[in-house]
Structures are given as structure tokens and as C-alpha cells.
Amino acid sequence: MASSKTVLSAIFTASLCFTVALAFPAHHEDLHPVVQSPPKPVLSPDYYKATCPQADEIVVSVLKKAIAKEQRIAASLLRLLFHDCFVQGCDASVLLDDSEEFVSEKKAIPNKNSIRGFEVIDEIKAALEEACPHTVSCADTIALAARGSTVLSGGPYWELPLGRKDSKAAYMKLANKNLPPPNATLHRLVKFFERQGLDKVDLVALSGSHTIGMARCVSFKQRLYNQHRDNQPDKTLERMFYSTLASTCPRNGGDNNLRPLEFATPSKFDNTYYKLLIEGRGLLNSDEVLWTGRDPQIAGLVRSYAENEPLFFEHYVNSITKMGNINPLTGYDGEIRKNCRVVNKKI
């Protein structure tokens, strides 16, 4: 009897499975598993450990000579990283000159007569090519130069993920769209950063890069003479600071005259930038609105960084690492340019 029940049970189970199979036939992909492509390589601090272990040493060697010759170049090289990563990702597109296929990003409004340091990048790249031919990309060269410039100016060191490849095109129109102007409002700044996947902490921390470097009068003259299109100065400017700026930047002419972005310790990467914002002595509108823009979180970060330099350095390292990971080309995407100014010739 037990044996008969076992047989009947087996017959019922087989019948049920057959019925289910008819009602829910297997899809084609169930019969033939999809072969997935291998995951894209991720950036790594050890990327050149076997192929060019001396890469950072070479970069820093060139940087020391360049900064000794002109202190301002440290900030210029750090700025190159921002202007590269905010346009189609960190791919060295900012370094490309005009070609028959595209217009250089150097001609974009935020970059024209503004970004600099290309000759130092050329020198670094030439030294890298001599030591490790066709190994270190221009995109990684920018990133290494930015870190080296920060450290040599007294700022923090960070583990730098490497392995970026170089783009084969420039994106001038995108540069005009994605790079924040110096007169941007706080609301617009937040939107510019959000577009890159960066948040308010990143905005405030990365703005601290303006602790070193210079700006042309044309970048902040509006604040001195016509902030709200009423022929009046920006009321948030501290009075003595306003007078100092006006003496350097007259209402008419002098657009290319230079002022330190942070006048107290202009060559030292520190937290003085935030202290001056609280005093009403931030240079660019896009600097001062971090304090005056009526955003409690952002203003709170400004105060925190002004009071706590280690906290600023910690957040800065996190944010610049995050920015350096914006849409990098890796693996078989892109190329390793031999000359950072031009795309490699097709063989």
C-alpha cells in the first residue's frame, strides 16, 4: 500500500512539473546564460607600482623647481584638476589644443586667459615619458601635480587613486556650461556641484583650494562697483578690504591686475581662507557667499573649518578624492597620450 502511494505521489509531482513548464516556458536566455563583460578597472593608488614606481617622485621633482621659480604655479596646477574633472570627467581634455576635430577647452569663457600651468605639465610629462615610456597618462599627471602642489604648499597628503586614461576630444561647450563663474550665487554653486555628484560638504571643502593663488580684477570687479547692477559695491565686503581692492582694481581698466585669493597667507595651504570669509574679506563672490548665502549647513561648515584646520584637511582629502573619481576613462577607453596637447596619431 505504501509503495502504491509512493508511485502515485511521484506521478502527481511529475505531472505538476510538466504542467508548470507548459504554463511558464523557459525564456531563451534561461537556456543560454548571458556572458557578461568583465567589470571596468577601478582606480588604484598602486596602479603604477610595477610599471612606473618612481612616477610621483618625478612629478614632485619638477614641481619643486617650478614652485621655487613661481609660487603661484602651485595654485594654477591645482586649479587645472578642477577645470578638467568638471568637464566630462577627469580625462585631461583640458590640456588639448585646437584640432580639426574640436575646439580646445582653453577657449571656453571660464578658461580663456585664465587657466595656466600647461608648460609645467609638459615638463612633467616629458620626464615621465623618458623614465616610463607610454605608461603614465596625462589625466594622472594632472592629478599627481595637483596633489604635489597641495603638499608642497603645506596642505594635506592623500592616497591618490590612479589609472585614468586620456580623452580623444575636447568639450569647449561643456566647459562653458559646467564650470562655475566667480560671480556665481550660492544656489548656482550648489547646482554646479550637484551636477558632478558633489554635495555641500564638497563645495565648501574644495572651495578651500582658494587658500592659495591669485585672481584677476575682472573676476571680482563687479563686487567693487556694480554688485547688483546699481553702481554700488557689495555690502558684504569689509570696508578696509574694499578700499585695498579698489586701489588695485580701478573702475576703468586694470582687468588683468592680480590680487591674492587669500591675502593673509597667500602661499600657504591652510584654513585662513575660511577665517577671512567670516570677516567679510573673501575675494570672489563665489567665496564670500559661502558665509553670507543664508544656508545654515554651508555657513556652519565655514565656521567649523575656520576653527578646526585638521577637520578642513580631512574633509578636503575626502572631497578631492571624490572629485578625482568623476567619470574617469579606464581600461580600453581613452588612450595614454604621448604629448598632452594632442591626441595620439592613428597608426
Side-chain angles (χ1 to χ4, degrees):
M1 184 70 177
S3 177
S4 298
K5 287 184 177 180
T6 301
V7 171
L8 288 172
S9 176
I11 292 172
F12 175 76
T13 301
S15 176
L16 180 62
C17 290
F18 180 70
T19 302
V20 170
L22 288 175
F24 303 100
H27 292 288
H28 181 72
E29 56 264 35
D30 295 332
L31 299 174
H32 302 282
V34 176
V35 178
Q36 294 185 343
S37 57
K40 290 186 69 173
V42 296
L43 304 182
S44 167
D46 296 326
Y47 187 81
Y48 297 113
K49 188 173 184 179
T51 56
C52 195
Q54 69 273 46
D56 186 53
E57 184 180 330
I58 292 170
V59 172
V60 172
S61 175
V62 176
L63 286 177
K64 284 180 177 178
K65 296 176 185 176
I67 294 173
K69 185 178 179 180
E70 183 195 15
Q71 187 71 43
R72 181 189 174 198
I73 202 67
S76 299
L77 294 170
L78 179 55
R79 188 168 178 239
L80 272 182
L81 180 65
F82 284 78
H83 283 238
D84 184 35
C85 292
F86 267 57
V87 182
Q88 201 69 24
C90 311
D91 59 4
S93 59
V94 71
L95 301 180
L96 288 169
D97 290 336
D98 284 343
S99 76
E100 294 179 357
E101 286 78 28
F102 50 78
V103 178
S104 173
E105 291 172 24
K106 298 171 187 178
K107 292 186 176 179
I109 294 171
N111 291 336
K112 195 172 183 180
N113 300 320
S114 178
I115 55 171
R116 56 199 297 275
F118 302 109
E119 293 78 9
V120 178
I121 294 293
D122 291 340
E123 187 177 350
I124 294 171
K125 178 62 172 172
L128 289 168
E129 283 295 313
E130 183 177 351
C132 315
H134 201 64
T135 302
V136 182
S137 68
C138 297
D140 280 344
T141 300
I142 294 175
L144 287 163
R147 180 181 67 178
S149 295
T150 302
V151 173
L152 291 173
S153 300
Y157 176 91
W158 62 92
E159 285 292 312
L160 178 59
L162 299 166
R164 302 165 187 80
K165 296 294 176 62
D166 301 326
S167 70
K168 298 180 182 180
Y171 310 94
M172 192 268 284
K173 291 182 179 179
L174 204 57
N176 280 325
K177 177 183 177 183
N178 283 0
L179 294 172
N183 62 348
T185 63
L186 185 58
H187 175 75
R188 287 187 69 201
L189 285 172
V190 170
K191 293 299 182 184
F192 275 112
F193 274 68
E194 285 179 346
R195 193 181 295 164
Q196 304 299 331
L198 302 174
D199 58 25
K200 291 181 179 180
V201 175
D202 302 318
L203 166 60
V204 183
L206 292 174
S207 293
S209 297
H210 285 177
T211 185
I212 57 175
M214 310 284 281
R216 296 183 301 150
C217 286
V218 70
S219 300
F220 57 88
K221 186 177 282 192
Q222 172 186 322
R223 297 189 71 203
L224 302 179
Y225 304 111
N226 194 24
Q227 175 69 341
H228 299 294
R229 299 181 181 179
D230 56 1
N231 291 317
Q232 295 297 316
D234 183 350
K235 294 179 181 179
T236 67
L237 275 168
E238 191 270 334
R239 187 168 296 180
M240 288 296 294
F241 186 51
Y242 165 79
S243 298
T244 301
L245 295 179
S247 67
T248 304
C249 305
R251 182 184 289 268
N252 298 311
D255 284 358
N256 291 321
N257 294 349
L258 297 173
R259 285 291 304 176
L261 284 161
E262 182 265 273
F263 69 87
T265 57
S267 299
K268 185 180 179 184
F269 196 103
D270 58 18
N271 68 333
T272 304
Y273 165 83
Y274 299 102
K275 297 176 183 178
L276 294 179
L277 294 186
I278 294 172
E279 296 172 4
R281 296 191 283 180
L283 185 64
L284 305 180
N285 189 74
S286 57
D287 294 325
E288 193 61 44
V289 292
L290 298 178
W291 178 246
T292 62
R294 299 179 182 178
D295 184 303
Q297 180 188 358
I298 289 176
L301 286 165
V302 170
R303 183 173 291 282
S304 294
Y305 296 162
E307 296 173 349
N308 188 340
E309 186 173 82
L311 178 66
F312 162 48
F313 280 8
E314 178 189 340
H315 285 192
Y316 186 84
V317 164
N318 292 338
S319 294
I320 201 164
T321 302
K322 185 176 173 182
M323 184 184 74
N325 281 325
I326 296 175
N327 298 328
L329 299 173
T330 58
Y332 293 106
D333 294 332
E335 64 180 10
I336 299 173
R337 289 185 220 136
K338 185 173 182 179
N339 178 345
C340 291
R341 295 174 180 261
V342 296
V343 174
N344 292 339
K345 292 182 179 179
K346 296 178 181 178
I347 300 175

